[in-house]
Amino acid sequence: MITFLWDNILVNPMTNALIALDHALFGNFGLAILAFTIIVRALTFPLTMRQLHSTRAMSEIQPKIKDIQKKYKDPKRRNEETMRLYKEAKVNPLGCLLPMVVQFPVWIALYQVIRLTLAGAPENYVDLSQRLYSFAYIQHAVPVGNSFLWLDLGRPNIVLPILVGMSMWIQQRSMTLTNAATSPQQQQMNNTMLWMMPVMFGWFSLTVPSGLALYWLATNVVGIIMNGFVFGFGTLHPAKLFSFLPFRRGPGTTVAPRRTPALNAVQSQVTAEDGDTETRTSDGAATRNKRKNRRRGSGGGAPPARPKS
Amino acid sequence: MTSVSRETWRLNRRLLALAILPALALILAGCTKVEQPKGWAAPVINGDTIYLSIQGKHLVAVARNGGAERWRFPDGRTEKDIELEGIYGEPAVVGDRILIGDHGGNLYSIATADGSLKWTARTNGSLIGAIAVSGDLAIVGSGDGYVYAFALSDGAQRWRTALGDHIWSRPIIRDSLAYVPVLDGRLAALDVATGTLRAQPAFKASAGLPTTGTLAGNRIIVGSLNKRLYAVNIADGSTAWSFPGENWFWTTPLVDGDRVYAGNLDHVVYALNLADGSLLWQYDTAAPVRSAPAISGGMLIVASTDGVVHGIDAAKGDRKWATSPLDTNLYANLTLDGAVVYVQGENGAVWTVRPDDGSLAQFRAKP
């Protein structure tokens, strides 16, 4: 039953769509893969944007959560303040998970689809024949061509895995720059993800048809562009991307996030132990009565830019 | 949950994801890696020897009585650098040589006495169709869109002709012409001696011709990816008749007397009148039919891809027997050898089936 649903809801429709695209794009299967990737990303755009905004909002309120954890001794009160903060910022702690959960089976199905349509061995065409719809436009488009630029889309290629790894690293790095870690453990985790994911997917791309690797590359590029629109394209500057290198390291390795509704909506009260208060209003003006100086710099978020008067 | 434990849970969740991702990548790699071509070449009988393609990696010569192995190619010793990539077309025995083509685009001439390599010829595409022999030439169509002619003596290329699309079929030789079904739907005619493409009103189907046709008088019966079986007049390329199925015709049709038998990927075997293509009967095998059938003593033997061999009354289309599913896919054509039919599975195992009662015996176990 599961196989039936999987095939008929995901794999078969995607298979036929990809073949139809190939027919429409002059029999160029590489272009069909690129177009299909863009279409899929467009269809999942609302979910992706929700994930990105949720991730960024969570990151922005992390310092305030940390402040709450420091200032409130009572766990109950701490939880209440934290949940109030989430509510005001309109952030769901699990919000970043749902889009990923929804998208994941789509990616798995796409893997199968590209494997089926490329059909490296003639035996695979027998399987493919059982999945095609009856439309002549699709039936007459088979077999699809394997060539795209210098690539044989049915065979692995050494260049594409490198591009896949690089593009994924750039995507991860730009996310890291905008979502600063709030603890050393989290920083370590971010660094692990930054290097492990590109290496893993680059290796994965070495073992599959280059048509699949092309799809991953296109997905990463689209992801980088989407991140740029959300977080700003400044994160793609080489000086920032490679700021971790010794000769590149300078003051501030993180990028100040844009002010968002989540940040603007929050008006937090941080109660110091000696009763001093700091109040920030939505226009960014700050008043401080008595406050110990806090160290600001690398590893922490830079203060949001105050609007010009 | 306290905020400290929440943070811990978040970090643990990430650790878990990091641990799962490599495992998931391994699984995905296993699910999605390139399917290695195994081939579906049928057994070929020559004298007291049967030649078998074993999972596309070896050509093996075995004794017809008993199945004892005589040699295999490549043997890993003398031909260390040769790796076959799937043999789809049936080997061609010519004198003391046997010719095979593989998915890697290589054509090999091998001595039948001891399996030693005599020469290798290369094309730029996969060799899916079988090899045709005419005079001193071996003629084969390639996935690079060319038809090649190689000298039987030394493998030297005599000519090659571009046909513009993949060729997955064996050329049909008739009156110094080679008729080649092409995956763009054409049935091209080439001069065997020179490779010159004959300019004639050529037949063209609306989709590709993936399989070898069958010569029947002045017609060629050939299946298409547009779900139709065609009878083409070779004199002028006109269509004598066509018959529609529900899926691709990918078997080599069998002509017996005034009838044509053709399997289809829509699970059905069709029996048609050779003269006009009218349907005589049809039989549902419950699985795609890729392999060409065999006929013996009024019994039509058909193998479906789900591993079942069917015995059908050739005159009426009634089922006479069916084996229990063999533990492998059946793509290879059936080979008739007198009182038995050889059935080769995708896993390399070979069985014999008696046409009269369907009794099955294993001839060679899977490697």
Side-chain angles (χ1 to χ4, degrees), chain B residues 44-51 61-68 70 337 363:
Chain B
V44 169
I45 301 169
N46 185 49
D48 64 347
T49 307
I50 300 178
Y51 301 96
V62 302
R64 194 168 167 186
N65 292 322
R70 291 179 176 160
D337 180 22
F363 179 75

Side-chain angles (χ1 to χ4, degrees), chain A residues 78-79 104 108 111 115 120 122-125 129-130 139-140 142 154 189-190 193 196-197 200 203-204 209, chain B residues 3 14 18 21-22 24 26 28-29 31-32 34-35 38-39 88 103 168 206 225 247-248 250 265 267:
Chain A
R78 201 184 291 157
N79 287 342
F104 199 63
I108 301 292
Y111 282 137
R115 179 183 65 85
E123 294 91 326
N124 291 350
Y125 277 103
S129 72
Q130 306 300 298
Q139 293 282 338
H140 297 177
V142 178
M189 194 71 58
N190 289 345
M193 294 278 285
M196 186 173 160
M197 295 278 286
M200 191 175 68
W203 168 82
F204 178 60
Chain B
S3 55
R14 282 199 167 186
L18 279 178
L21 278 171
L24 189 62
L26 278 171
L28 285 174
C31 292
T32 59
V34 177
E35 287 285 349
K38 293 189 179 73
Y88 289 87
H103 192 265
W168 286 2
S206 57
L225 298 183
N247 209 315
W248 302 345
W250 205 350
L265 297 186
H267 307 184

Side-chain angles (χ1 to χ4, degrees), chain A residues 58 62 65 69 75 78-79 82-83 86 93-94 96-97 104 108 111-112 115 120-130 132-135 139-140 142-145 154-156 182-183 185-186 189-190 192-193 196-197 200-201 203-204 207-209 212, chain B residues 1-4 6-7 9-11 13-15 18-19 21-26 28-40 85 88 103-104 126 128 165-166 168 183 206-208 225-227 246-248 250 265-267 288 290 305 331 346:
Chain A
M58 282 293 291
Q62 282 303 315
I65 293 175
Q69 290 170 5
R78 201 184 291 157
N79 287 342
T82 305
M83 292 311 297
Y86 283 149
L94 297 178
C96 61
L97 279 183
F104 199 63
I108 301 292
Y111 282 137
Q112 288 186 279
R115 179 183 65 85
E123 294 91 326
N124 291 350
Y125 277 103
V126 178
D127 185 9
L128 182 64
S129 72
Q130 306 300 298
L132 296 182
Y133 299 152
S134 298
F135 306 112
Q139 293 282 338
H140 297 177
V142 178
V144 298
R155 294 178 185 270
T182 57
S183 65
Q185 296 90 336
Q186 197 161 12
M189 194 71 58
N190 289 345
T192 304
M193 294 278 285
M196 186 173 160
M197 295 278 286
M200 191 175 68
F201 280 93
W203 168 82
F204 178 60
T207 65
V208 300
L212 286 170
Chain B
M1 184 186 288
T2 64
S3 55
V4 172
R6 188 179 296 116
E7 175 70 14
W9 159 237
R10 236 192 327 267
L11 287 174
R13 198 174 58 201
R14 282 199 167 186
L15 276 171
L18 279 178
L21 278 171
L24 189 62
L26 278 171
L28 285 174
C31 292
T32 59
K33 66 181 179 183
V34 177
E35 287 285 349
Q36 296 304 316
K38 293 189 179 73
W40 55 46
E85 288 188 30
Y88 289 87
H103 192 265
S126 302
I128 306 294
D165 207 330
H166 297 77
W168 286 2
L183 268 187
S206 57
L225 298 183
N226 66 3
K227 308 178 189 178
E246 297 295 324
N247 209 315
W248 302 345
W250 205 350
L265 297 186
D266 64 2
H267 307 184
R290 209 301 314 171
T305 57
Y331 296 119
E346 188 187 31

Side-chain angles (χ1 to χ4, degrees), chain B residues 87-105:
Chain B
I87 305 170
Y88 289 87
E90 280 72 47
V93 180
V94 186
D96 62 347
R97 307 281 180 85
I98 183 167
L99 303 171
I100 58 169
D102 76 345
H103 192 265

